[in-house]
Amino acid sequence: MITREQLEHNQVWLYIIVLVIAAGFGLMAPDVGGQLDITISFVIALLMYSMFSQIPFVSLKKAFGNRRFIRALLTVNYIAVPSVVWLLSKLLPDHPPLLLGIYLVLLTPCIDYVIVFTSLGRGNEKLILMATPILFITQMLLLPLYLWVFMGEEAAGIVEPGPFLEAFFGLIIIPLGIAIAMQLFAKKAPVGNRILDLSAWLPVPFMALTLFVVVASQIGKLSTYIDQIIQVIPIYIAFMIIMPIISRFIAKWFKLDTGSGRALIFSGSTRNSLVVLPLALALPDELSTLVAAVIVTQTIVELAGELVYIRIVPRLLLREK
């Protein structure tokens, strides 16, 4: 029987297998696969609970005191990243739906599977867990501003606060509240501990389920916009090459320790595709399909890049001192 440690050790290969199966399913049964998009938000909420349930909140109190890391995190994600994204976007044609997809996905820092890959890359994943609500609130506030700066007032109006607030409560507040309540319950009743032990098995399978639902529901749309997809792939690859280098210099500038520096690199380079996808799907029909296709393409490119990151970040980019 497989142990939880074995499951976590082999999770990357599980994700690759799931991606292949999901792509095949979505292409062979596009009608069925397309109907899965209504489950995306629910599946992501389950994923977030499974991750939040593993946070030792006593340790997080100490992590909240790491103000230097928080300042570095905000600098990377809201100064360095927008600058890089703006420059890279100048290489694309002036096609608003295409640019909107690029901006939605690249301007929003990841709050879910970045935790997994930070751990695999031997970074301080507790700092990323702690920063999840901070990153979500700040991107909720700043994304409309960046869209206004990059695309004009009309684009800023596309991203209304309602869907973001709904996502924040549904994907962050509710899963976090349930996780905290369960940990408090575990202090008073043995059954609570058993539930938390069971929850420790959930992050890997729920991540696999999330990837399956996202890819299977959206892969069929990629072929419809193949010309645009070909244009954005080099932008995503360039982003994944540039941002780890910039993040490394910012980590050195803020004098972060090795684990914190690696966490900063993963946060600056990993984007929020799974959470902004429901927002893209809520756009008007003439926009949603292309914007969603652009976002899903980033997910696929990024996951391939993460497999490289977990090896080169600890071995080459930021070694143990």
Coordinates of all heavy atoms in Angstrom, one line a residue, residues 189-278:
A189 N -11.1 17.1 20.6 CA -11.7 15.8 20.3 C -10.8 15.0 19.4 O -10.3 15.5 18.4 CB -13.1 16.0 19.6
P190 N -10.5 13.7 19.8 CA -9.7 12.9 19.0 C -10.1 12.7 17.6 O -9.3 12.6 16.6 CB -9.7 11.5 19.7 CG -10.1 11.9 21.1 CD -11.0 13.1 21.0
V191 N -11.4 12.8 17.3 CA -11.9 12.6 16.0 C -11.4 13.8 15.1 O -11.2 13.6 13.9 CB -13.5 12.5 16.0 CG1 -14.1 13.9 16.4 CG2 -14.0 12.2 14.6
G192 N -11.2 14.9 15.7 CA -10.7 16.1 14.9 C -9.3 15.8 14.4 O -8.9 16.1 13.3
N193 N -8.5 15.1 15.3 CA -7.1 14.8 14.8 C -7.2 13.8 13.7 O -6.4 13.8 12.8 CB -6.3 14.2 16.0 CG -5.8 15.3 16.9 OD1 -5.3 16.3 16.5 ND2 -6.0 15.1 18.2
R194 N -8.1 12.8 13.8 CA -8.2 11.8 12.7 C -8.6 12.5 11.4 O -8.2 12.1 10.3 CB -9.2 10.7 13.1 CG -8.7 9.8 14.2 CD -9.6 8.6 14.3 NE -10.9 8.8 14.8 CZ -11.2 8.8 16.1 NH1 -10.3 8.6 17.0 NH2 -12.5 9.1 16.5
I195 N -9.5 13.5 11.5 CA -9.9 14.2 10.3 C -8.7 15.0 9.7 O -8.5 15.0 8.5 CB -11.1 15.2 10.6 CG1 -12.3 14.4 10.9 CG2 -11.4 16.1 9.4 CD1 -13.5 15.3 11.4
L196 N -7.9 15.6 10.5 CA -6.7 16.3 10.0 C -5.7 15.4 9.4 O -5.1 15.7 8.4 CB -6.1 17.1 11.2 CG -6.8 18.4 11.6 CD1 -6.1 19.0 12.8 CD2 -7.0 19.3 10.5
D197 N -5.6 14.2 10.0 CA -4.7 13.2 9.5 C -5.1 12.8 8.1 O -4.3 12.6 7.2 CB -4.6 12.0 10.4 CG -3.8 12.3 11.7 OD1 -3.1 13.3 11.7 OD2 -4.0 11.5 12.7
L198 N -6.5 12.6 7.9 CA -7.0 12.3 6.6 C -6.8 13.4 5.6 O -6.5 13.2 4.5 CB -8.5 11.9 6.8 CG -9.2 11.6 5.5 CD1 -8.7 10.4 4.8 CD2 -10.7 11.4 5.7
S199 N -6.9 14.6 6.1 CA -6.8 15.8 5.3 C -5.4 15.9 4.7 O -5.1 16.5 3.6 CB -7.1 17.1 6.0 OG -8.5 17.1 6.4
A200 N -4.4 15.4 5.4 CA -3.0 15.4 5.0 C -2.8 14.6 3.7 O -1.8 14.9 3.0 CB -2.1 14.9 6.1
W201 N -3.7 13.7 3.4 CA -3.6 13.0 2.1 C -4.2 13.7 0.9 O -4.0 13.3 -0.2 CB -4.4 11.7 2.3 CG -3.7 10.6 3.1 CD1 -3.7 10.5 4.4 CD2 -3.0 9.5 2.6 NE1 -3.0 9.4 4.8 CE2 -2.5 8.7 3.7 CE3 -2.6 9.0 1.3 CZ2 -1.7 7.6 3.5 CZ3 -1.9 7.9 1.1 CH2 -1.4 7.2 2.2
L202 N -4.9 14.8 1.2 CA -5.7 15.4 0.2 C -5.0 16.4 -0.8 O -5.4 16.4 -2.0 CB -6.9 16.2 0.8 CG -7.8 15.4 1.7 CD1 -8.9 16.3 2.2 CD2 -8.4 14.2 0.9
P203 N -3.9 17.1 -0.4 CA -3.4 18.1 -1.4 C -3.0 17.5 -2.7 O -3.3 18.1 -3.8 CB -2.2 18.7 -0.6 CG -2.6 18.6 0.8 CD -3.3 17.3 0.9
V204 N -2.3 16.4 -2.7 CA -1.8 15.8 -4.0 C -3.0 15.4 -4.9 O -3.0 15.7 -6.0 CB -0.8 14.7 -3.7 CG1 -0.4 14.0 -5.1 CG2 0.5 15.2 -3.0
P205 N -3.9 14.5 -4.4 CA -5.0 14.1 -5.2 C -5.9 15.3 -5.7 O -6.4 15.3 -6.8 CB -5.8 13.1 -4.4 CG -5.3 13.2 -3.0 CD -3.9 13.7 -3.1
F206 N -6.1 16.3 -4.8 CA -6.9 17.4 -5.2 C -6.2 18.3 -6.2 O -6.8 18.9 -7.1 CB -7.3 18.2 -3.9 CG -8.5 17.7 -3.2 CD1 -8.9 18.2 -2.0 CD2 -9.2 16.6 -3.7 CE1 -10.0 17.7 -1.3 CE2 -10.3 16.0 -3.0 CZ -10.7 16.6 -1.8
M207 N -4.9 18.4 -6.1 CA -4.2 19.1 -7.1 C -4.3 18.4 -8.5 O -4.5 19.1 -9.5 CB -2.7 19.2 -6.7 CG -1.8 19.9 -7.8 SD -2.3 21.6 -8.1 CE -1.7 22.4 -6.7
A208 N -4.2 17.1 -8.4 CA -4.3 16.3 -9.7 C -5.7 16.5 -10.2 O -5.9 16.6 -11.5 CB -4.0 14.8 -9.4
L209 N -6.7 16.5 -9.4 CA -8.1 16.6 -9.8 C -8.3 18.0 -10.4 O -9.0 18.2 -11.5 CB -9.1 16.4 -8.6 CG -10.6 16.7 -8.9 CD1 -11.1 15.7 -10.0 CD2 -11.4 16.6 -7.6
T210 N -7.7 19.0 -9.8 CA -7.9 20.4 -10.3 C -7.2 20.5 -11.7 O -7.8 21.1 -12.6 CB -7.2 21.4 -9.3 OG1 -7.8 21.3 -8.1 CG2 -7.3 22.8 -9.9
L211 N -6.1 20.0 -11.9 CA -5.4 20.0 -13.2 C -6.2 19.3 -14.2 O -6.3 19.7 -15.4 CB -4.0 19.4 -13.1 CG -3.0 20.2 -12.2 CD1 -1.7 19.5 -12.1 CD2 -2.8 21.6 -12.8
F212 N -6.8 18.2 -13.8 CA -7.6 17.4 -14.8 C -8.8 18.2 -15.2 O -9.1 18.3 -16.4 CB -8.1 16.1 -14.1 CG -9.0 15.3 -15.1 CD1 -8.4 14.4 -16.0 CD2 -10.3 15.4 -15.0 CE1 -9.2 13.7 -16.9 CE2 -11.2 14.7 -15.9 CZ -10.6 13.8 -16.8
V213 N -9.5 18.8 -14.3 CA -10.7 19.5 -14.6 C -10.4 20.8 -15.5 O -11.1 21.0 -16.5 CB -11.5 20.0 -13.3 CG1 -12.5 21.0 -13.6 CG2 -12.0 18.8 -12.6
V214 N -9.3 21.5 -15.1 CA -9.0 22.7 -15.9 C -8.6 22.3 -17.3 O -9.1 22.9 -18.3 CB -7.8 23.4 -15.2 CG1 -7.3 24.5 -16.1 CG2 -8.4 24.1 -13.9
V215 N -7.7 21.3 -17.5 CA -7.2 21.0 -18.8 C -8.2 20.3 -19.6 O -8.4 20.7 -20.8 CB -5.9 20.1 -18.7 CG1 -5.5 19.6 -20.1 CG2 -4.8 20.9 -18.0
A216 N -9.0 19.4 -19.1 CA -10.0 18.7 -19.8 C -11.1 19.6 -20.3 O -11.6 19.4 -21.4 CB -10.6 17.5 -19.0
S217 N -11.4 20.6 -19.5 CA -12.5 21.5 -19.8 C -12.1 22.6 -20.8 O -12.9 23.1 -21.6 CB -13.1 22.2 -18.6 OG -12.1 23.0 -18.0
Q218 N -10.8 22.8 -20.9 CA -10.4 24.0 -21.8 C -9.5 23.6 -22.9 O -9.3 24.4 -23.8 CB -9.6 25.0 -20.9 CG -10.3 25.5 -19.7 CD -11.6 26.2 -20.0 OE1 -11.6 27.0 -20.9 NE2 -12.7 25.9 -19.3
I219 N -8.9 22.4 -23.0 CA -8.0 22.0 -24.0 C -8.6 22.1 -25.4 O -7.9 22.4 -26.4 CB -7.4 20.6 -23.8 CG1 -6.2 20.3 -24.6 CG2 -8.5 19.5 -23.9 CD1 -5.0 21.1 -24.3
G220 N -9.9 21.8 -25.5 CA -10.5 21.8 -26.8 C -10.6 23.2 -27.4 O -10.7 23.3 -28.7
K221 N -10.5 24.2 -26.6 CA -10.6 25.6 -27.1 C -9.2 26.1 -27.7 O -9.2 27.1 -28.4 CB -11.0 26.5 -25.9 CG -12.3 26.2 -25.3 CD -12.6 27.0 -24.1 CE -14.0 26.7 -23.5 NZ -14.3 27.5 -22.3
L222 N -8.2 25.4 -27.3 CA -6.9 25.9 -27.8 C -6.7 25.8 -29.3 O -6.1 26.7 -29.9 CB -5.7 25.0 -27.1 CG -5.7 25.1 -25.6 CD1 -4.4 24.4 -25.1 CD2 -5.8 26.5 -25.1
S223 N -7.2 24.7 -29.9 CA -7.0 24.6 -31.4 C -7.8 25.6 -32.1 O -7.4 26.0 -33.2 CB -7.5 23.2 -31.8 OG -8.9 23.0 -31.5
T224 N -8.8 26.2 -31.5 CA -9.6 27.2 -32.2 C -8.8 28.5 -32.4 O -9.0 29.2 -33.3 CB -10.9 27.5 -31.4 OG1 -11.6 26.3 -31.2 CG2 -11.8 28.5 -32.1
Y225 N -7.9 28.7 -31.4 CA -7.1 29.9 -31.5 C -5.6 29.6 -31.6 O -4.8 30.3 -30.9 CB -7.4 30.7 -30.2 CG -8.8 31.2 -30.0 CD1 -9.7 30.5 -29.2 CD2 -9.3 32.3 -30.7 CE1 -11.0 30.8 -29.1 CE2 -10.6 32.7 -30.6 CZ -11.5 32.0 -29.8 OH -12.8 32.4 -29.6
I226 N -5.3 28.7 -32.4 CA -3.9 28.2 -32.5 C -2.9 29.3 -32.9 O -1.8 29.4 -32.4 CB -3.8 27.0 -33.5 CG1 -2.4 26.4 -33.4 CG2 -4.1 27.4 -34.9 CD1 -2.1 25.8 -32.0
D227 N -3.4 30.3 -33.8 CA -2.5 31.4 -34.2 C -2.1 32.3 -33.0 O -1.0 32.6 -32.9 CB -3.2 32.2 -35.3 CG -3.4 31.4 -36.6 OD1 -2.6 30.4 -36.8 OD2 -4.2 31.8 -37.4
Q228 N -3.1 32.6 -32.2 CA -2.8 33.4 -31.0 C -2.0 32.7 -30.0 O -1.2 33.2 -29.3 CB -4.2 33.9 -30.4 CG -4.9 34.9 -31.2 CD -5.9 34.3 -32.2 OE1 -5.8 33.1 -32.6 NE2 -7.0 35.1 -32.5
I229 N -2.3 31.4 -29.8 CA -1.6 30.6 -28.9 C -0.1 30.5 -29.2 O 0.7 30.6 -28.3 CB -2.2 29.1 -28.8 CG1 -3.7 29.2 -28.3 CG2 -1.4 28.3 -27.9 CD1 -3.8 29.9 -27.0
I230 N 0.2 30.3 -30.5 CA 1.6 30.3 -30.9 C 2.3 31.6 -30.5 O 3.5 31.6 -30.2 CB 1.7 30.0 -32.4 CG1 1.2 28.6 -32.7 CG2 3.1 30.2 -32.9 CD1 1.1 28.2 -34.1
Q231 N 1.6 32.7 -30.6 CA 2.2 34.0 -30.2 C 2.5 34.1 -28.8 O 3.5 34.8 -28.4 CB 1.3 35.1 -30.7 CG 1.2 35.2 -32.2 CD 0.2 36.3 -32.7 OE1 -0.9 36.4 -32.1 NE2 0.6 37.1 -33.7
V232 N 1.7 33.6 -27.9 CA 1.9 33.8 -26.5 C 2.9 32.8 -25.8 O 3.4 33.1 -24.8 CB 0.5 33.8 -25.7 CG1 -0.4 34.8 -26.3 CG2 -0.1 32.4 -25.7
I233 N 3.1 31.7 -26.4 CA 4.0 30.7 -25.8 C 5.4 31.2 -25.6 O 5.9 31.1 -24.5 CB 4.0 29.4 -26.6 CG1 2.7 28.6 -26.5 CG2 5.1 28.5 -26.2 CD1 2.5 27.4 -27.3
P234 N 6.0 31.9 -26.6 CA 7.3 32.5 -26.3 C 7.3 33.5 -25.2 O 8.3 33.7 -24.5 CB 7.7 33.1 -27.7 CG 6.9 32.4 -28.7 CD 5.6 32.1 -28.0
I235 N 6.2 34.3 -25.1 CA 6.1 35.3 -24.0 C 6.2 34.6 -22.6 O 6.8 35.0 -21.7 CB 4.8 36.1 -24.1 CG1 4.8 36.8 -25.5 CG2 4.7 37.0 -23.0 CD1 5.9 37.8 -25.7
Y236 N 5.4 33.5 -22.5 CA 5.4 32.7 -21.3 C 6.8 32.1 -20.9 O 7.2 32.1 -19.8 CB 4.3 31.6 -21.3 CG 2.9 32.1 -21.4 CD1 1.9 31.4 -22.1 CD2 2.5 33.3 -20.7 CE1 0.6 31.8 -22.1 CE2 1.2 33.7 -20.7 CZ 0.3 33.0 -21.5 OH -1.0 33.4 -21.5
I237 N 7.4 31.6 -21.9 CA 8.8 31.0 -21.7 C 9.7 32.1 -21.3 O 10.5 31.9 -20.4 CB 9.2 30.3 -23.0 CG1 8.3 29.1 -23.3 CG2 10.7 29.9 -22.9 CD1 8.7 28.4 -24.6
A238 N 9.7 33.3 -22.0 CA 10.6 34.4 -21.6 C 10.3 34.8 -20.2 O 11.3 35.1 -19.4 CB 10.4 35.5 -22.6
F239 N 9.1 34.9 -19.8 CA 8.7 35.3 -18.4 C 9.3 34.3 -17.4 O 9.9 34.7 -16.4 CB 7.2 35.3 -18.3 CG 6.7 35.7 -16.9 CD1 6.5 37.0 -16.6 CD2 6.4 34.7 -15.9 CE1 6.1 37.4 -15.3 CE2 6.0 35.1 -14.7 CZ 5.8 36.4 -14.3
M240 N 9.3 33.0 -17.7 CA 9.8 32.0 -16.8 C 11.3 32.0 -16.7 O 11.8 31.4 -15.8 CB 9.2 30.6 -17.2 CG 7.7 30.5 -17.0 SD 7.1 28.8 -16.8 CE 7.6 28.5 -15.1
I241 N 11.9 32.5 -17.7 CA 13.4 32.6 -17.7 C 13.8 33.9 -17.0 O 14.8 33.9 -16.2 CB 14.0 32.6 -19.1 CG1 13.7 31.3 -19.8 CG2 15.4 33.0 -19.1 CD1 14.1 31.2 -21.3
I242 N 13.1 35.0 -17.2 CA 13.5 36.3 -16.7 C 13.2 36.4 -15.2 O 14.1 36.8 -14.4 CB 12.8 37.4 -17.4 CG1 13.3 37.5 -18.9 CG2 13.0 38.8 -16.7 CD1 12.5 38.4 -19.8
M243 N 12.0 36.0 -14.7 CA 11.6 36.3 -13.4 C 12.4 35.6 -12.3 O 12.7 36.2 -11.2 CB 10.1 35.9 -13.2 CG 9.2 37.1 -13.7 SD 9.7 38.7 -13.1 CE 9.7 38.5 -11.4
P244 N 12.9 34.3 -12.5 CA 13.7 33.7 -11.4 C 15.0 34.5 -11.2 O 15.5 34.6 -10.1 CB 14.0 32.3 -11.9 CG 12.9 32.0 -12.9 CD 12.5 33.3 -13.5
I245 N 15.6 35.0 -12.3 CA 16.8 35.8 -12.2 C 16.6 37.1 -11.4 O 17.3 37.5 -10.5 CB 17.4 36.1 -13.6 CG1 17.7 34.8 -14.3 CG2 18.6 37.0 -13.5 CD1 18.1 34.9 -15.7
I246 N 15.5 37.8 -11.8 CA 15.2 39.1 -11.1 C 14.9 38.8 -9.6 O 15.3 39.5 -8.7 CB 14.0 39.8 -11.8 CG1 14.4 40.3 -13.2 CG2 13.5 40.9 -11.0 CD1 13.3 40.9 -14.0
S247 N 14.1 37.8 -9.4 CA 13.7 37.4 -8.0 C 15.0 37.1 -7.2 O 15.0 37.4 -6.0 CB 12.7 36.2 -8.0 OG 11.6 36.6 -8.7
R248 N 15.9 36.4 -7.8 CA 17.2 36.1 -7.1 C 17.9 37.3 -6.7 O 18.4 37.4 -5.5 CB 18.0 35.2 -8.0 CG 19.5 35.0 -7.5 CD 19.5 34.1 -6.3 NE 20.8 33.9 -5.8 CZ 21.4 34.7 -4.9 NH1 20.9 35.8 -4.5 NH2 22.7 34.4 -4.5
F249 N 18.0 38.3 -7.5 CA 18.6 39.6 -7.2 C 17.9 40.3 -6.1 O 18.5 40.9 -5.2 CB 18.8 40.5 -8.4 CG 19.9 40.1 -9.3 CD1 19.7 39.5 -10.5 CD2 21.3 40.2 -8.8 CE1 20.8 39.1 -11.3 CE2 22.3 39.9 -9.6 CZ 22.1 39.3 -10.9
I250 N 16.5 40.3 -6.1 CA 15.7 41.0 -5.1 C 15.9 40.3 -3.8 O 15.9 40.9 -2.7 CB 14.3 41.0 -5.5 CG1 14.1 42.0 -6.7 CG2 13.4 41.5 -4.4 CD1 12.7 42.1 -7.3
A251 N 16.0 38.9 -3.8 CA 16.2 38.2 -2.5 C 17.5 38.6 -1.9 O 17.6 38.7 -0.7 CB 16.2 36.7 -2.8
K252 N 18.5 38.7 -2.8 CA 19.8 39.2 -2.3 C 19.8 40.6 -1.7 O 20.4 40.9 -0.7 CB 20.9 39.1 -3.4 CG 22.3 39.4 -2.9 CD 23.3 39.2 -4.1 CE 24.7 39.5 -3.6 NZ 25.7 39.3 -4.7
W253 N 19.0 41.5 -2.4 CA 18.9 42.9 -2.0 C 18.2 43.0 -0.6 O 18.7 43.8 0.2 CB 18.1 43.6 -3.1 CG 17.9 45.1 -2.8 CD1 18.7 45.9 -2.2 CD2 16.7 45.8 -3.2 NE1 18.2 47.2 -2.1 CE2 17.0 47.2 -2.7 CE3 15.6 45.6 -3.9 CZ2 16.1 48.2 -2.9 CZ3 14.6 46.6 -4.1 CH2 14.9 47.9 -3.6
F254 N 17.2 42.1 -0.4 CA 16.5 42.1 0.9 C 17.2 41.2 1.9 O 16.7 41.1 3.1 CB 15.1 41.7 0.7 CG 14.2 42.8 0.2 CD1 14.0 43.0 -1.1 CD2 13.5 43.6 1.1 CE1 13.1 44.0 -1.6 CE2 12.7 44.6 0.7 CZ 12.5 44.8 -0.7
K255 N 18.3 40.6 1.6 CA 19.1 39.8 2.5 C 18.3 38.6 3.1 O 18.3 38.4 4.3 CB 19.7 40.6 3.6 CG 20.7 41.7 3.1 CD 21.3 42.6 4.2 CE 22.2 43.6 3.7 NZ 22.7 44.5 4.7
L256 N 17.6 37.9 2.2 CA 16.8 36.8 2.6 C 17.6 35.6 2.8 O 18.7 35.4 2.1 CB 15.7 36.5 1.6 CG 14.6 37.6 1.4 CD1 13.6 37.1 0.4 CD2 14.0 38.1 2.6
D257 N 17.2 34.7 3.7 CA 18.0 33.4 3.9 C 17.6 32.5 2.7 O 16.8 32.9 1.9 CB 17.6 32.7 5.2 CG 16.1 32.4 5.3 OD1 15.6 31.7 4.5 OD2 15.5 33.0 6.2
T258 N 18.3 31.4 2.6 CA 18.2 30.5 1.4 C 16.7 30.1 1.2 O 16.2 30.2 0.1 CB 19.1 29.3 1.5 OG1 20.4 29.8 1.7 CG2 19.0 28.5 0.3
G259 N 16.1 29.6 2.2 CA 14.7 29.1 2.1 C 13.8 30.1 1.7 O 12.9 29.9 0.8
S260 N 13.9 31.3 2.3 CA 13.0 32.5 1.9 C 13.3 32.9 0.5 O 12.4 33.3 -0.2 CB 13.2 33.6 2.9 OG 13.0 33.2 4.3
G261 N 14.6 33.0 0.1 CA 14.9 33.4 -1.2 C 14.3 32.5 -2.3 O 13.8 32.9 -3.3
R262 N 14.4 31.2 -2.0 CA 13.8 30.2 -3.0 C 12.3 30.4 -3.0 O 11.7 30.3 -4.1 CB 14.1 28.8 -2.5 CG 15.6 28.4 -2.7 CD 15.9 27.1 -2.1 NE 17.3 26.7 -2.2 CZ 17.9 25.7 -1.6 NH1 17.2 25.0 -0.8 NH2 19.2 25.5 -1.8
A263 N 11.7 30.6 -1.9 CA 10.2 30.9 -1.9 C 9.9 32.1 -2.7 O 8.9 32.1 -3.4 CB 9.7 31.0 -0.4
L264 N 10.7 33.1 -2.6 CA 10.5 34.4 -3.4 C 10.6 34.1 -4.9 O 9.8 34.6 -5.7 CB 11.5 35.4 -2.9 CG 11.3 36.8 -3.6 CD1 10.1 37.5 -3.0 CD2 12.5 37.7 -3.3
I265 N 11.6 33.3 -5.2 CA 11.8 32.9 -6.7 C 10.5 32.2 -7.2 O 10.0 32.5 -8.3 CB 13.0 32.1 -6.8 CG1 14.3 32.9 -6.6 CG2 13.1 31.5 -8.2 CD1 15.6 32.1 -6.5
F266 N 10.0 31.2 -6.5 CA 8.9 30.5 -6.9 C 7.6 31.4 -7.0 O 6.8 31.3 -7.9 CB 8.6 29.3 -6.0 CG 9.4 28.1 -6.4 CD1 10.6 27.8 -5.7 CD2 9.0 27.2 -7.4 CE1 11.4 26.8 -6.1 CE2 9.8 26.1 -7.7 CZ 11.0 25.9 -7.1
S267 N 7.5 32.3 -6.0 CA 6.3 33.2 -6.0 C 6.4 34.1 -7.2 O 5.3 34.4 -7.9 CB 6.2 33.9 -4.7 OG 5.1 34.8 -4.7
G268 N 7.5 34.7 -7.4 CA 7.7 35.7 -8.5 C 7.5 35.1 -9.9 O 7.1 35.8 -10.9
S269 N 7.7 33.8 -10.0 CA 7.7 33.1 -11.3 C 6.5 32.3 -11.6 O 6.2 31.9 -12.7 CB 8.9 32.2 -11.4 OG 10.1 32.9 -11.1
T270 N 5.6 32.0 -10.6 CA 4.5 31.2 -10.7 C 3.2 32.0 -10.6 O 3.1 32.8 -9.7 CB 4.5 30.1 -9.6 OG1 5.7 29.5 -9.5 CG2 3.4 29.0 -9.9
R271 N 2.3 31.8 -11.6 CA 1.2 32.7 -11.7 C -0.2 32.0 -11.3 O -0.2 30.8 -11.1 CB 1.1 33.2 -13.2 CG 2.4 33.9 -13.7 CD 2.6 35.2 -13.0 NE 3.3 35.2 -11.7 CZ 3.3 36.2 -10.8 NH1 2.6 37.3 -11.1 NH2 4.0 36.1 -9.7
N272 N -1.2 32.8 -11.2 CA -2.5 32.4 -10.6 C -3.5 31.9 -11.6 O -4.7 32.3 -11.6 CB -3.0 33.6 -9.9 CG -3.9 33.2 -8.7 OD1 -4.0 32.0 -8.4 ND2 -4.6 34.2 -8.1
S273 N -3.1 31.1 -12.5 CA -3.9 30.7 -13.6 C -5.2 30.0 -13.1 O -6.3 30.2 -13.7 CB -3.2 29.7 -14.6 OG -2.7 28.6 -13.9
L274 N -5.1 29.1 -12.1 CA -6.3 28.3 -11.7 C -7.4 29.2 -11.1 O -8.5 28.9 -11.1 CB -5.8 27.3 -10.7 CG -4.9 26.2 -11.2 CD1 -4.6 25.2 -10.2 CD2 -5.5 25.5 -12.5
V275 N -7.0 30.3 -10.4 CA -7.9 31.2 -9.8 C -8.5 32.2 -10.7 O -9.7 32.6 -10.6 CB -7.3 31.8 -8.5 CG1 -8.3 32.8 -7.9 CG2 -6.9 30.7 -7.5
V276 N -7.7 32.7 -11.6 CA -8.2 33.7 -12.6 C -9.0 33.1 -13.7 O -9.8 33.8 -14.4 CB -7.1 34.6 -13.2 CG1 -6.4 35.4 -12.1 CG2 -6.2 33.8 -14.0
L277 N -8.9 31.8 -13.9 CA -9.7 31.1 -15.0 C -11.2 31.3 -14.8 O -11.9 31.6 -15.7 CB -9.3 29.7 -15.1 CG -9.9 28.9 -16.2 CD1 -9.6 29.5 -17.6 CD2 -9.5 27.4 -16.2
P278 N -11.7 31.1 -13.6 CA -13.2 31.3 -13.4 C -13.6 32.8 -13.7 O -14.6 33.0 -14.2 CB -13.4 31.0 -11.9 CG -12.3 30.0 -11.6 CD -11.1 30.5 -12.3

